[in-house]
Amino acid sequence: MPEAPNSFVGRQREVADLLRLLSQARALTLCGPGGIGKTRLALRVLAVAADGFPDGAWVVDLSDLRQPELVVPRMASVLGITEEPARPLLDTLADALRPRTLLVVLDNCEHLIEVCAQVSQRLLASAPGLRLLVTSREPLRVAAEHVWQVPPLSQLPEGGGDGVPYRSEAIHLFADRAAASLPGFVVGPANAEAVATLCRVLEGMPLAIELAAARVRALSVEQIGARLADRFRLLTTGDRAAPARHRTLRATIDWSHDLLTDAERTLLRRLSVFAGWSLEMAEQVCSDEDLPAVDVLDAMAGLVDKSLVAREPEVLGQARYRLLDTIREYAAAHLDAAGESTIFRARLRDLVVAVAEQNLATGMAQVAAPWSARVNVFRQYDAELGNVWQALTQALAAGDAQAGLRVCTAVSPCWIARGTFTEGAEWLGSFLALETSGVPAWVRGAALVARAQLLLSSDPAEAEASAREGLALCRTAAHDYWTAAALNLLAESALHTGRVEDAADRAAEALAVARPAGDVWHEGYAFGTLAAIAAARGLLAEAGRLAQDSITAMRSIDQRWGVARALMGLGDLARLRQDPHDAHLRYREALPILREIDSRPEIARCLAGLGRVAIDRDDFAEARQYLADSLQLSHTTGSHIGMTRALEAFAALAVRENQLERAVQLNAAASALREAAGLPPWPGARRERLLEAARGHLASPVIERLWLRGTGLDTETAVALAQQDPSGPADQVCADQVCADQVPADQVPADPASGSVTPAGPPAGAAGPAGASPGSLTRREREVVGLIARGCSNKAIAAELVISPATAARHVANILAKLGFASRTQVAWWAADQPSPRSAGTAAESTSAGRARSRQ
């Protein structure tokens, strides 16, 4: 929750009423005009109520958003929910919140009222433990909403009441803020009536009172009151249909504005272009001949002193500032009236472009910089996100494709690190759809490559098409950095789809472009891809050497993010070599680097790797801790692939701990989650090994019932089952009693992998997609499997086995049919799990290592 800038005055009865209503209403909306104190009151209620919500209290500020489609990404960002490829972010958000008991404030919703209502309705329907506290100038009008009108602060009646001025909340607030502005100021017999009159004229509006109190340094209370009276008379010639409180607030702001110096007035209107800023940013954007840069500091200090500019927490050692929403709208109107809107919005756009491109150069090691500077790139992006969105929104509205594409391309590494793939791809798609004939080839080419990077995990075909188009433009423009980026991406895409030779050609070409250009980032990237290719070919020693070359390159430029990703690849290789000690060291070295940049999906993956290593080392307590942390992180961010992998690892742990009932159910739950999320199926041999272990102790009908029961678990129940304390006795063959009531005895799945319900019969021979086992393949087919695992094409298989390509194709088709797979990649994954013979195992292990690296 944000820190309160000063003391909270009054509102005790309102807070008590709202706490009572919050215990009854799913959604509670605080309504009222700007300046009435909706946000401050909501934050006070949040602070008091927070302890009653075990999963936290959160503030989602929407004041700087203008595009409805950004509401869900903002909520997900605040709540730490990471986007999933090819899945609506709202679905991920709803699933992630379902098991939680939490309180969320949606602040400043009035300009996004329709989408806020729709999102609120969806989240309330899916998350029974969610409570929403909304601030808005109008109700959401959703079914669960209770609307509460925020009243003005209490005041003394004319005549002074009982003579105790501090019983008036308005007077108390004025006295508190005036004392902060002018130390020693007190409300006493000499000025109490004047203060009470002033607060009545201001109708108890907190913002108006605070602005008035800031003036006691220059004026007496009587002088302040007199000027307010003059302003109110002038305002009666304006919009008579506006609510009285709006007219009063406008008068207060007009009056406060008129008391500013010329420099302060100029700076205030120009600051309205920012969502938030530092002093240095204000000096760059807002200065000109009328307001020299050297005068910005004094003008800014004056605006802060007069409560027109709010001081925010520091970011990277720099004080941050923002305008309250009401003040920002007021200042923007003055900017329009002065004819300066176009000029200073363009200046903000140019600043965003320059900062983003400088950060790209720093973060991706195009310039020399220490690792700390590269980490700060991601932290600065988080701080400037509001300005980035504002610049992109204005560029899109103006049809400024070049500026929009440059910003999107420059911040794309941050989108990748934060997992906001769809959002970034949509921004790039919107700008690429504009008229771009006047956009330089390198700008369009780089944008197409950046879009391909964002699409790779969700739409490889579209990603490859975008990368190829971008590559052609970047080559035409002789832009080596983005040419190498395109080649590296095409190599990774080819590896994803089993085209090992094509991947090798592209990676070698990327290396040839990057090295002469001094582009060590893409040189190290290419080495990493070549390591994965070597692993896919069964050349584990070469794969290890190339991975070390990648690490050496990344360390030479102090780009530790690249180092961490290569270290995880080496950890995967070490596990395949059955060297848990080395694997542990690699993962442990990568983890703190990933935590520095808060790459949560990669942190979860690294923790899962450590958990699997701990299983290999028979340290089950350590394994449980690592896997629990990984699962929890994936669960809180809504990452289905992370949860699936963690559940599968927990199933393996359960087998080792002789918790066989739980192992079967976790396997089934993971398989169901994979299918629901559209992920590739789990290799059948892994599942078969688990079921073979279960068959040694559990009857086949019991296993089948447990499997069906596991496939029916929701995510929260599966997570709870995985984290269950295993300290009790080992599972016994009593599962009939445990789950007999869950599935009718005459209806069990014929194949645990299928989940289909059929009359009971003999148990399936295997748990693969088609129930195939290694023994169902002929010797020749097993040889072909080994060659597929090495990435060989049909032509290469024919040459190796001295058969015709047509015969090789028939063997491949037979293997796919027997194993029930749809692709050669699935065959390679299946082969990775076969324990013998050694030659096939080596090739299969290589493929797993390559696959693991390619998914980084």
Side-chain angles (χ1 to χ4, degrees):
M1 295 182 292
E3 292 277 342
N6 43 37
S7 61
F8 184 82
V9 175
R11 305 280 199 194
Q12 286 84 1
R13 180 164 51 187
E14 289 91 336
V15 170
D17 289 345
L18 289 171
L19 289 171
R20 176 179 53 81
L21 289 171
L22 196 60
S23 67
Q24 303 167 0
R26 297 288 310 286
L28 180 57
T29 300
L30 309 188
C31 282
I36 195 67
K38 301 183 294 294
T39 296
R40 195 64 188 273
L41 181 56
L43 294 180
R44 180 63 174 183
V45 172
L46 190 73
V48 176
D51 289 343
F53 293 85
D55 292 309
W58 309 81
V59 180
V60 181
D61 183 8
L62 304 176
S63 61
D64 62 324
L65 296 189
R66 291 298 178 267
Q67 290 179 277
E69 60 267 30
L70 297 182
V71 170
V72 174
R74 172 62 60 85
M75 293 185 69
S77 176
V78 170
L79 293 166
I81 308 302
T82 302
E83 180 182 3
E84 294 181 276
R87 189 171 189 244
L89 182 55
L90 183 56
D91 290 347
T92 299
L93 182 61
D95 286 348
L97 295 187
R98 182 175 290 112
R100 301 196 203 178
T101 300
L102 73 167
L103 174 60
V104 176
V105 168
L106 289 181
D107 195 25
N108 296 293
C109 295
E110 55 271 2
H111 59 300
L112 300 164
I113 197 70
E114 295 295 334
V115 68
C116 286
Q118 295 167 9
V119 171
S120 297
Q121 188 70 57
R122 169 69 188 283
L123 295 181
L124 289 168
S126 63
L130 171 65
R131 292 292 184 275
L132 288 179
L133 185 57
V134 179
T135 71
S136 175
R137 296 180 188 179
E138 62 178 302
L140 295 179
R141 296 187 177 89
V142 297
E145 182 184 37
H146 188 109
V147 180
W148 199 84
Q149 196 75 28
V150 179
L153 296 174
S154 66
Q155 304 174 60
L156 291 178
E158 284 190 83
D162 58 7
V164 184
Y166 276 36
R167 289 187 179 176
S168 159
E169 292 175 337
I171 294 176
H172 190 178
L173 178 65
F174 183 92
D176 182 88
R177 302 301 190 256
S181 180
L182 182 65
F185 179 89
V186 295
V187 175
N191 63 7
E193 186 56 37
V195 172
T197 300
L198 186 149
C199 289
R200 282 196 296 272
V201 171
L202 295 178
E203 296 182 314
M205 294 288 287
L207 177 58
I209 291 170
E210 292 194 0
L211 292 171
R215 301 276 60 82
V216 299
R217 284 194 300 272
L219 300 171
S220 69
V221 176
E222 289 79 4
Q223 287 176 304
I224 295 170
R227 294 180 67 88
L228 284 175
D230 288 340
R231 288 299 177 183
F232 294 157
R233 284 194 293 271
L234 290 174
L235 191 61
T236 58
T237 61
D239 183 4
R240 298 181 184 275
R245 285 190 295 269
H246 283 190
R247 297 199 303 270
T248 301
L249 181 60
R250 176 72 188 191
T252 303
I253 300 173
D254 278 340
W255 159 79
S256 184
H257 181 263
D258 286 348
L259 289 179
L260 299 177
T261 66
D262 288 342
E264 288 169 348
R265 280 196 294 271
T266 300
L267 180 60
L268 179 64
R269 68 174 181 259
R270 294 175 180 179
L271 289 173
S272 67
V273 302
F274 289 107
W277 69 89
S278 66
L279 175 61
E280 289 75 9
M281 293 169 68
E283 289 172 336
Q284 291 180 60
V285 171
C286 300
S287 62
D288 62 2
E289 293 181 357
D290 295 333
L291 181 64
V294 295
D295 294 340
V296 170
L297 173 58
D298 287 342
M300 180 86 76
L303 293 173
V304 172
D305 286 343
K306 294 162 187 174
S307 302
L308 288 169
V309 167
R311 168 82 182 269
E312 296 283 279
E314 293 182 4
V315 175
L316 301 178
Q318 291 188 328
R320 300 284 298 189
Y321 306 91
R322 70 178 180 91
L323 292 174
L324 297 176
D325 189 48
T326 302
I327 302 300
R328 186 180 177 196
E329 291 180 7
Y330 177 90
H334 278 267
L335 190 71
D336 287 337
E340 295 179 337
S341 294
T342 301
I343 296 171
F344 289 98
R345 286 173 182 164
R347 285 196 177 188
L348 174 65
R349 175 205 64 204
D350 293 343
L351 177 65
V352 169
V353 171
V355 170
E357 291 183 340
Q358 178 58 43
N359 284 344
L360 173 69
T362 301
M364 297 295 100
Q366 297 177 39
V367 297
W371 170 240
S372 59
R374 308 201 198 285
V375 172
N376 287 345
V377 164
F378 297 96
R379 296 175 180 170
Q380 186 173 14
Y381 166 78
D382 293 336
E384 301 299 343
L385 185 56
N387 290 325
V388 169
W389 278 348
Q390 188 154 315
L392 290 176
T393 300
Q394 292 171 0
L396 190 59
D400 188 348
Q402 181 168 331
L405 291 174
R406 288 177 66 182
V407 172
C408 289
T409 302
V411 302
S412 60
C414 297
W415 284 336
I416 292 169
R418 294 293 179 260
T420 52
F421 301 108
T422 300
E423 176 191 331
E426 287 177 352
W427 273 118
L428 280 159
S430 296
F431 284 107
L432 287 166
L434 297 176
E435 171 56 48
T436 58
S437 59
V439 177
W442 77 266
V443 173
R444 182 174 171 80
L448 285 162
V449 177
R451 180 171 176 265
Q453 291 171 336
L454 292 162
L455 287 170
L456 182 60
S457 61
S458 61
D459 191 345
E462 179 63 21
E464 188 159 334
S466 184
R468 289 181 185 278
E469 186 180 354
L471 174 61
L473 289 169
C474 291
R475 276 179 166 159
T476 300
H479 199 294
D480 290 336
Y481 177 88
W482 285 105
T483 297
L487 290 166
N488 270 325
L489 185 135
L490 288 168
E492 191 170 1
S493 176
L495 193 58
H496 265 299
T497 52
R499 294 173 287 126
V500 179
E501 297 301 327
D502 187 22
D505 291 343
R506 291 297 192 177
E509 192 176 356
L511 194 61
V513 171
R515 269 181 166 168
D519 181 0
V520 184
W521 165 261
H522 283 118
E523 181 183 348
Y525 194 117
F527 276 133
T529 305
L530 288 168
I533 293 166
R537 288 169 166 169
L539 306 173
L540 298 189
E542 183 180 348
R545 179 182 61 78
L546 288 165
Q548 287 290 353
D549 288 344
S550 177
I551 290 174
T552 299
M554 293 297 185
R555 281 180 173 156
S556 73
I557 55 174
D558 210 359
Q559 221 312 342
R560 299 182 198 176
W561 188 19
V563 171
R565 299 170 105 185
L567 285 169
M568 286 195 291
L570 282 175
D572 295 340
L573 280 171
R575 283 199 65 234
L576 291 171
R577 295 195 315 268
Q578 297 184 351
D579 186 350
H581 177 72
D582 185 51
H584 179 83
L585 292 177
R586 302 295 188 177
Y587 292 132
R588 288 295 303 175
E589 190 177 353
L591 187 59
I593 299 173
L594 298 172
R595 282 181 166 152
E596 276 192 275
I597 60 173
D598 194 26
S599 181
R600 304 183 90 189
E602 289 175 317
I603 291 171
R605 181 190 160 199
C606 195
L607 289 169
L610 285 165
R612 294 187 186 98
V613 169
I615 295 174
D616 296 340
R617 298 165 65 182
D618 296 329
D619 190 340
F620 300 152
E622 181 177 281
R624 179 164 296 280
Q625 185 59 57
Y626 281 130
L627 293 177
D629 290 346
S630 176
L631 181 58
Q632 190 60 39
L633 187 57
S634 294
H635 190 216
T636 55
T637 58
S639 171
H640 278 196
I641 190 167
M643 285 187 285
T644 298
R645 290 169 175 166
L647 288 173
E648 290 163 355
F650 264 114
L653 176 61
V655 171
R656 298 293 298 275
E657 293 178 324
N658 201 29
Q659 301 282 325
L660 299 178
E661 292 180 14
R662 179 161 46 162
V664 173
Q665 291 185 77
L666 289 175
N667 258 283
S671 295
L673 185 58
R674 274 186 175 275
E675 183 178 356
L679 301 173
W682 200 36
R686 295 188 195 176
R687 195 159 41 204
E688 173 62 15
R689 284 205 298 269
L690 176 135
L691 292 176
E692 281 297 330
R695 288 188 188 107
H697 298 83
L698 303 175
S700 293
V702 172
I703 294 173
E704 291 158 354
R705 291 191 183 106
L706 287 167
W707 187 275
L708 187 57
R709 188 183 185 188
T711 59
L713 296 177
D714 60 32
T715 302
E716 290 72 37
T717 306
V719 169
L721 179 64
Q723 297 177 325
Q724 194 177 79
D725 184 3
S727 59
D731 292 349
Q732 302 296 323
V733 188
C734 59
D736 278 315
Q737 299 174 6
V738 174
C739 64
D741 59 332
Q742 303 295 321
V743 184
D746 62 344
Q747 287 191 335
V748 295
D751 177 3
S754 71
S756 60
V757 178
T758 61
S773 66
S776 67
L777 301 179
T778 67
R779 180 185 61 79
R780 176 65 84 185
E781 286 168 349
R782 288 197 296 272
E783 290 176 343
V784 172
V785 165
L787 293 170
I788 290 173
R790 285 167 50 189
C792 294
S793 64
N794 287 352
K795 183 177 180 180
I797 292 171
E800 179 75 17
L801 299 180
V802 195
I803 58 177
S804 71
T807 301
R810 270 199 311 274
H811 284 312
V812 172
N814 289 338
I815 290 165
L816 293 173
K818 287 183 178 182
L819 298 180
F821 291 133
S823 71
R824 299 163 69 98
T825 302
Q826 290 174 290
V827 174
W829 269 97
W830 178 84
D833 292 288
Q834 304 310 306
S836 64
R838 178 59 188 161
S839 59
T842 300
E845 289 173 358
S846 307
T847 303
S848 286
R851 179 80 171 204
R853 171 61 184 86
S854 71
R855 285 190 165 194
Q856 293 176 18

